[in-house]
Each structure stands twice: as structure tokens, then as C-alpha cells.
Amino acid sequence: MNRLGALRFDNAFIRELPGDRSGKVHSRQTPGVCWASVSPSPVSQPRLLAYAPEVAALLDLEAQDVTSDTFAQVFGGNALLHGMAPYATRYGGHQFGTWAGQLGDGRAISLGEAINARGERWELQLKGAGITPYSRRADGRAVLRSSLREFLCSEAMFHLGVPTTRALSLIATGDAVRRDMLYDGNPRDEPGAVVCRVAPSFIRFGHFEILAAQGEHDLLRRLLSFTLEKHFPSLGGEPQQRFAAWFREVCERTAQLVVEWMRVGFVHGVMNTDNMSILGLTIDYGPYGWIDDFDPGWTPNTTDADMRRYCYGDQTIVARWNLERLAQALAGIAPSQSVLDEGLAHFDTMLQKGMHSMLAGKFGLRDWRDGDAELVADIFQLMQQSEVDMTEFFRLLALVDVSSPHVNVLATAFYHEEQFIQERARFETWLTRYAQRTGAEQSGSAERTERMNKVNPRFVLRNYLAQQAIEAAEQGDLKLLHRLLDAARTPYADAHPADLIAKRPDWARHKAGASMLSCSS
Ligand code: AMP
Ligand code: MG
């Protein structure tokens, strides 16, 4: 029996919040509602390219269910299961610092909220399944390259321990999608794909912002109660305390989220408020990237190349700015301004605490002491000046014998041998300071290595690797895609195929897709 038929749905978002049930797809403003009914547009030849067994298990599905033809039809957008009721949601957002008005799910269609055997709620959402009332002038579709990147990275982040939306499946549609990848007047036909994303909810800051911006305060209150009841059930108390606890919690989760991004070297790339999850999950994988050579000013997003608003090192600042926009949207329904201010102050506290304990962990320190900030800032500056690979560096640092530190241990983290030779004295001096600091804690070397290797990944989804998997997949070769998904399952393990943990090769330094990505997806 195919277990797909046994999936149970409880579509609370559309049951409890007002929607536009007309089913019409033409682009429009939808005042007064949180969602609009819309069916996925059919595709010609849906074919499963990859799936995540762990996510299938969340839905009580097994391999034979996911590899069935029914699955490809449903999760490619050609059919619905009993109980599914597809819809697109209405949200707005601040894009690159400016209020952009109504945006909404322009190419995401939620199929429904599945309730698994453990009673957990998992919303299933197709990305790239065709136009919705929120598509504006775009086509509602997604290309294989961006879908593969979203699929792989969602799962890579999960296994790294970073809060994220999940990805169940990657399905090729068999249809072409026309895109101008670098916005340089050279559009081409690319293979289309649909990812099924899975999360307890895809509610964003922007869902609240649009209602405030349009003066829809009653609906804003309803969305808030819905969010509290369904997604923050543990927060009790009188309404005022409950609001305060909730906003504080959103601020705290957002702080924890960016701290985790900083830990693993992830750059989201488009931290607009419409791309911020109210649950504190990483959401909307677009022109994201991973730090190779350590550089706080780096952004993978070519659209942001001049401003660098969303560069690696500024993600904490932007998270705060985004929470301020959320606070602004909530001002009309909050019990008081001070409740919002307290939430934001809590973000600052949690961010600082989180950064300190995260950095202490990365450097193998048992706690954070006076002077550590300087120790850390100094090595980060050296790493930046000397082009040192972030991921490689921390795994090598874990191997340094602090009773007799030797700089040669770090050699392979450098992108250029000459730079290692030139800078070795400065790194050696720093290592001596580091050894003194670590030695002061008197932990055994093997124990320290083990501790550091639990927070410093060996495998990350480097940009060039994803790009190679894309190029192969576009030629019909899925081996690398599957190998990467496999490696992503054990990111902290030592043993990985050499080609999956190699530093970025020279050819990938300035290659489109590998180091430069646009929002065209
Ligand atoms: P993003 O920059 O991907 O977060 O998208 C910003 C907005 O544009 C969201 O409302 C998306 O749904 C919408 N959007 C992006 N690409 C498309 C597309 N191909 N078709 C329809 N809407 C899109
Ligand atoms: Mg988005």
C-alpha cells in the first residue's frame, strides 16, 4: 500500500484565517485576507531527482512511497492527495532596506498541513509550482539550479544543527524555464524543477508587516493569536504577558539563528524581512553562500555586490534591523512600546551571549573570558589578510598541540603557499597566545579536539560543489547531488571523500554560480 494515501491533513492556516477563495490566479492585491486559493499548474514530466529520507520519515513515508509515480505527480504539481487544499499566502516586506509593499507567495504553493503519527504539524509547500495571485509579472516557476541549491542546503543546514525549513523532494518538471541568470541580457532556457519544502509553518515577519502597513489591525490581531496558539502553545499567561513572552522569544530565536549562521560560515544573501521566519528558521535559500576564505565583507549575492548590505559579517546587525521592522508592525497591537523595546534589548543580550559561547566553542575554550574578544579578533584579521579557509582552519586548529604549538599544522588552510610562508611568524605568535589561553584550562588535547570538532564542521556545502552538482544534474548525471546529500548528513565526521572537503579550487574563484549568484532563480 502507498502510505501517501494515509497522510492526514489539518489545514489550520486556511481554516482559521480569512482567505480569497475565488481560485483566480491573476496578479492582484488581496486586502483583508491572509491567503488565496490556487492550484499548482501542471508540468509535463515530473521526475524525482532526489529526496530526503529523514524528511519522508517525518511524514511517515518510506522509500517506496516517495519513489512512486503518485509521489512525482503530487509533488511535481499535477495531482492532489485527499485532504490537500492548496493556497498561496499574502505577505509584504522590506527589501534591501525599503518597504516593498505586498509580495506574497509568488511561486510557493502550500498543499496543506500534514499531521504525522506523533501528532506533529508539518506544512508542505511546493516552490516553483506555477503562478499565484502574488506572482506579479513573474512566472511562478523555479529553475533546477536554484531548486537543487535549496534542496541540498536545507538538509545540510539541518544536519549541521542550524534551525531551518526542510526539503522533502526535488522534482524535475520536464519543462523549460527562461531565465537571464546574470541579468546581462542573455536569457536562456533552463530545466525547471519543484522543491517540496517542509516546516511547522512558513509564516514570515512580512505576514505581519503587510497587515500593519495596510491598517488591517483586526486581521493582524487574528494572525497573532493564530501564531501563538498553533506555534507557541507553551507560552501561557494573560494576553499582555503572553505577547511580551512571544516577542521576546521571536527575538531570542532570531539571535540564535544568526549566531548559528556565523558559526558555520553561512551567508543568507537576501535577509529581507519577507525572508525572515517567525519561528526563527532559515528560510528561502536563494543566492546564499558559504565562506571559503574568511572575509566578513563577503556576499555571494551579485545584486548586493555594491552595498554589501547582507554580507557575512553584518548578518547580526541586519537581523536586529529586521526585528525592529517587525516591532514597528506590531506597535499598533502591542500592549506597550516598552514590551517591544524589551524584546529588542533581549535580542542584544542573547546575541552577545550566543556569539561568545559560539566563539568559545569554535576555539575550544570552555568559557568566555576577558581578553578572548581580542584573541579572536586578532586571528580573524590575520585570516582575512592572508586568505585562510574558515572551515579548514578550525579543523586544523583543533589538531594543534597546545603544549608545543606548531604553525605548520595550519599550512593547508592557506589558499596561497607564499602567504603562509610570509605570514607564518605572525600566526606563530598568535598560536603561542592561544596555547597559553587554552593551556590555562588544562584540558587534554584529544578531548579538546573532540569538543571542537563537534561545532566546527568538516563538510560544508561549498558554493563550487553545489555548482558542480548543478552542471552534472543538468546533463542528467545525479551522482554528485546524491554524494553531497550523503556527505551533508555527517558534516562533523572526519572521514569524507577528499573531493568533497577540498578548499575552493582556483577556477571557482570568480565563476558564476560558484562565487557569484544573482536573485534570478
Ligand atoms: P525572493 O527574493 O526569492 O525572496 O522573492 C521575493 C518575492 O518575489 C516573493 O514574493 C517571491 O514569491 C517572488 N518571486 C520570486 N521569483 C518568482 C517567480 N519566478 N515567480 C513568481 N514570483 C516570484
Ligand atoms: Mg523570499
Side-chain angles (χ1 to χ4, degrees):
M1 189 201 86
N2 194 321
R3 287 167 202 80
L4 283 169
L7 270 178
R8 277 195 307 127
F9 289 91
D10 170 55
N11 305 324
F13 191 89
I14 62 167
R15 184 178 63 237
E16 296 185 16
L17 293 166
D20 173 339
R21 297 173 184 271
S22 70
K24 292 182 183 149
V25 291
H26 69 277
S27 264
R28 61 190 186 273
Q29 299 288 310
T30 60
V33 301
C34 288
W35 55 273
S37 300
V38 58
S39 300
S41 305
V43 300
S44 52
Q45 262 193 335
R47 189 167 68 89
L48 182 75
L49 301 182
Y51 75 96
E54 298 87 350
V55 183
L58 291 176
L59 301 169
D60 310 318
L61 300 176
E62 291 178 15
Q64 69 207 64
D65 310 313
V66 182
T67 52
S68 67
D69 183 54
T70 310
F71 185 93
Q73 295 298 336
V74 172
F75 293 94
N78 285 354
L80 295 173
L81 295 172
H82 180 73
M84 284 179 167
Y87 59 96
T89 70
R90 173 187 178 220
Y91 58 78
H94 280 83
Q95 298 190 314
F96 297 94
T98 307
W99 174 244
Q102 179 184 289
L103 299 165
D105 292 323
R107 55 169 167 176
I109 297 180
S110 286
L111 298 174
E113 300 167 46
I115 307 289
N116 71 10
R118 280 177 289 174
E120 295 165 344
R121 180 177 296 274
W122 292 105
E123 184 172 335
L124 311 182
Q125 186 178 73
L126 301 185
K127 184 166 174 180
I131 55 170
T132 78
Y134 308 102
S135 298
R136 294 173 289 162
R137 281 188 300 276
D139 59 5
R141 293 297 186 189
V143 289
L144 174 61
R145 68 181 147 81
S146 66
S147 306
L148 184 149
R149 282 168 50 85
E150 171 139 19
F151 172 80
L152 270 184
C153 200
S154 309
E155 290 308 290
M157 291 286 265
F158 170 77
H159 292 293
L160 281 164
V162 183
T164 179
T165 62
R166 304 292 300 273
L168 170 64
S169 55
L170 173 66
I171 290 184
T173 60
D175 299 320
V177 176
R178 203 161 179 78
R179 286 287 182 276
D180 185 355
M181 184 168 97
L182 294 175
Y183 299 124
D184 60 0
N186 290 308
R188 67 172 181 115
D189 279 346
E190 299 189 43
V194 175
V195 170
C196 177
R197 313 197 278 200
V198 177
S201 166
F202 293 91
I203 298 178
R204 303 147 189 264
F205 290 9
H207 281 98
F208 296 87
E209 287 181 280
I210 188 68
L211 300 179
Q214 304 294 316
E216 299 172 29
H217 286 105
D218 287 337
L219 190 47
L220 182 56
R221 268 186 214 97
R222 279 181 72 179
L223 177 63
L224 175 65
S225 342
F226 175 83
T227 305
L228 280 166
E229 253 167 56
K230 288 289 179 302
H231 301 294
F232 296 84
S234 63
L235 302 177
E238 294 297 305
Q240 300 202 347
Q241 277 100 44
R242 213 164 154 213
F243 181 100
W246 169 72
F247 186 65
R248 194 181 150 89
E249 172 82 15
V250 173
C251 290
E252 182 166 329
R253 289 193 196 185
T254 306
Q256 286 163 345
L257 178 67
V258 280
V259 167
E260 288 293 84
W261 290 355
M262 300 309 283
R263 173 172 68 85
V264 298
F266 175 79
V267 191
H268 183 285
V270 205
M271 286 179 76
N272 293 333
T273 56
D274 51 300
N275 291 336
M276 297 291 292
S277 146
I278 204 75
L279 301 182
L281 308 172
T282 312
I283 190 172
D284 269 12
Y285 292 88
Y288 67 82
W290 295 82
I291 293 287
D292 291 309
D293 56 296
F294 185 79
D295 177 5
W298 184 72
T299 173
N301 185 355
T302 51
T303 317
D304 190 27
D306 295 331
M307 300 288 290
R308 297 186 183 271
R309 180 182 174 86
Y310 298 141
C311 69
Y312 173 67
D314 286 351
Q315 296 188 112
T316 53
I317 299 168
V318 174
R320 170 65 140 94
W321 191 88
N322 288 345
L323 283 165
E324 288 164 20
R325 299 293 74 72
L326 177 63
Q328 207 171 31
L330 296 167
I333 61 162
S336 66
Q337 180 60 38
S338 62
V339 155
L340 297 169
D341 294 340
E342 279 158 28
L344 293 171
H346 184 60
F347 171 86
D348 299 337
T349 310
M350 292 314 289
L351 180 69
Q352 200 190 46
K353 265 197 191 165
M355 285 298 284
H356 287 171
S357 70
M358 179 274 282
L359 288 168
K362 280 189 87 65
F363 283 88
L365 311 172
R366 286 183 184 281
D367 59 8
W368 185 260
R369 300 182 191 169
D370 287 347
D372 288 343
E374 209 186 321
L375 186 73
V376 166
D378 288 350
I379 192 63
F380 279 162
Q381 201 186 1
L382 275 179
M383 287 166 71
Q384 191 185 348
Q385 287 165 356
S386 325
E387 277 200 58
V388 172
D389 187 80
M390 180 181 175
T391 303
E392 186 92 6
F393 174 84
F394 281 102
R395 292 295 283 214
L396 294 175
L397 187 65
L399 297 176
V400 167
D401 177 358
V402 289
S403 62
S404 108
H406 208 296
V407 73
N408 282 354
V409 176
L410 302 177
T412 57
F414 286 70
Y415 274 90
H416 310 282
E417 204 185 339
E418 321 82 76
Q419 250 164 348
F420 173 61
I421 294 166
Q422 211 177 312
E423 301 292 341
R424 58 177 297 148
R426 293 209 284 164
F427 276 83
E428 201 140 47
T429 309
W430 183 86
L431 266 189
T432 311
R433 282 166 65 198
Y434 172 70
Q436 276 163 5
R437 168 66 178 91
T438 352
E441 295 191 334
Q442 294 185 336
S443 50
S445 231
E447 186 274 341
R448 187 178 127 265
T449 308
E450 201 184 309
R451 201 153 27 88
M452 288 175 73
N453 285 352
K454 282 184 183 149
V455 293
N456 293 315
R458 183 78 193 93
F459 171 85
V460 292
L461 185 63
R462 292 178 188 266
N463 315 305
Y464 83 90
L465 292 171
Q467 181 57 23
Q468 284 180 317
I470 289 164
E471 286 169 18
E474 286 179 347
Q475 301 306 314
D477 178 356
L478 303 174
K479 276 196 303 292
L480 186 53
L481 162 61
H482 294 144
R483 287 180 68 218
L484 289 174
L485 180 60
D486 208 38
R489 289 206 173 89
T490 54
Y492 300 100
D494 256 326
H496 283 284
D499 60 328
L500 302 189
I501 51 172
K503 298 199 293 286
R504 177 200 56 216
D506 238 18
W507 59 259
R509 189 168 277 263
H510 302 294
K511 187 180 180 338
S515 69
M516 297 185 293
L517 291 142
S518 74
C519 288
S520 162
S521 56

